[in-house]
Amino acid sequence: MHKLRLNLAHAYMVLFLLYMIAPLVVMSGAAFNDSKLPSIVPWKGFTTHWFGEMIADQRMMLAFGNSLWVAVAVAVISILVGTASAILINSISGRVRTVVYGLMISTILIPGVVIGISTMILWTKMGNALGTEFFLFNPGLHLSVLGQVSYIAAMVMLLVLARLQSFDAGLEEAALDLGASHGQVMRRILLPHLYPALGAGAAISFFQSIENFNVTLFTRGGADTLTVYVFSKVRSGITPTINALALLLIMVTLVLAVIYE
């Protein structure tokens, strides 16, 4: 019976991995198929033509560049906001803790469409009320960053909070008794303990931003990101250049995962 359970567990693991990996393999294979349709059936021959087409597509490269800088900005701001929120929540108790925690978590539960529309309306109304043409109040990628941070920071907060549960508060008290300032305690004791959570939070923030569509669609103004570009290409027809770019992103992700491990 034990051997049967073990075999079933192994079979389930294999099927699960196939379920997760097979679509990526098929998608990646389309990048090397000499066909104008992004598929591997029918196979018309091996080619690397689509990688050249990808580089030559200036709009795609611009959209990809926009997605990268938005993702980096979201990751940096989310780490700062999420870490500060986690430290604050960890240091308070009672109803205040419950209220602050609930407010931060609620943003994860709100649909992306609502966040995108709300962000656009808020900043546009503020601009109209102040009577200014300052770019911050106009739709653009900067509003996409702010909209995404409003819920991605909560994910970072949860990771940091989980890490703080294993932190020994006595180390802070001992350092302060020995004459360390609060800044030194933060830099040399607390932050080193939080580095794994901060690294994981940065990765999650970056990739959550890269794949974001709903918030970006309503706040981007006239700028393109990769997800919005792919959505716009659905009407005119998607070519395997998208598969070529996706394959490169998968390879970069795998390399970074290996380095992190």
Side-chain angles (χ1 to χ4, degrees):
M1 181 62 70
H2 175 72
K3 185 176 181 180
L4 177 61
R5 290 179 179 177
L6 187 61
N7 291 335
L8 288 176
H10 288 166
Y12 173 79
M13 181 185 67
V14 172
L15 291 175
F16 177 77
L17 290 176
L18 287 175
Y19 175 79
M20 296 293 292
I21 297 175
L24 298 180
V25 173
V26 173
M27 182 276 302
S28 302
F32 299 101
N33 187 12
D34 193 11
S35 171
K36 292 184 179 180
L37 298 177
S39 68
I40 59 174
V41 180
W43 183 261
K44 295 187 176 181
F46 181 86
T47 182
T48 58
H49 167 73
W50 299 115
F51 290 91
E53 289 287 327
M54 175 195 71
I55 298 174
D57 191 338
Q58 296 183 356
R59 185 185 172 193
M60 179 191 289
M61 291 295 99
L62 178 61
F64 182 53
N66 288 339
S67 294
L68 287 179
W69 88 254
V70 168
V72 170
V74 168
V76 171
I77 300 175
S78 295
I79 287 295
L80 296 175
V81 175
T83 303
S85 301
I87 294 174
L88 173 63
I89 291 174
N90 193 62
S91 63
I92 58 179
S93 59
R95 291 185 176 180
V96 176
R97 176 191 175 102
T98 303
V99 171
V100 175
Y101 181 82
L103 288 174
M104 288 294 297
I105 291 300
S106 63
T107 58
I108 300 179
L109 306 178
I110 299 174
V113 173
V114 176
I115 294 178
I117 295 175
S118 301
T119 302
M120 180 189 64
I121 292 177
L122 171 66
W123 289 94
T124 302
K125 292 294 184 181
M126 286 178 60
N128 294 337
L130 297 175
T132 178
E133 296 297 328
F134 187 49
F135 82 96
L136 186 62
F137 299 104
N138 299 322
L141 293 178
H142 58 286
L143 287 192
S144 298
V145 172
L146 296 177
Q148 292 177 29
V149 167
S150 65
Y151 75 94
I152 292 178
M155 300 179 185
V156 177
M157 181 199 72
L158 292 175
L159 290 172
V160 177
L161 268 177
R163 183 67 177 174
L164 283 172
Q165 301 308 308
S166 62
F167 180 70
D168 184 3
L171 295 176
E172 287 185 338
E173 298 176 2
L176 292 172
D177 290 341
L178 292 173
S181 65
H182 288 282
Q184 289 175 322
V185 172
M186 176 71 73
R187 293 193 308 272
R188 299 185 179 183
I189 298 177
L190 183 57
L191 285 181
H193 180 77
L194 297 179
Y195 281 160
L198 296 180
I204 290 177
S205 301
F206 183 85
F207 289 111
Q208 280 286 325
S209 177
I210 286 287
E211 71 175 12
N212 181 270
F213 173 73
N214 291 328
V215 175
T216 305
L217 181 65
F218 291 99
T219 56
R220 65 187 176 91
D224 270 340
T225 61
L226 188 59
T227 53
V228 174
Y229 169 80
V230 173
F231 176 74
S232 67
K233 292 290 288 183
V234 170
R235 297 179 180 178
S236 59
I238 298 178
T239 64
T241 54
I242 299 295
N243 300 75
L245 180 59
L247 175 60
L248 293 179
L249 289 175
I250 291 173
M251 297 304 297
V252 170
T253 303
L254 291 176
V255 170
L256 292 177
V258 171
I259 293 175
Y260 180 78
E261 288 298 326

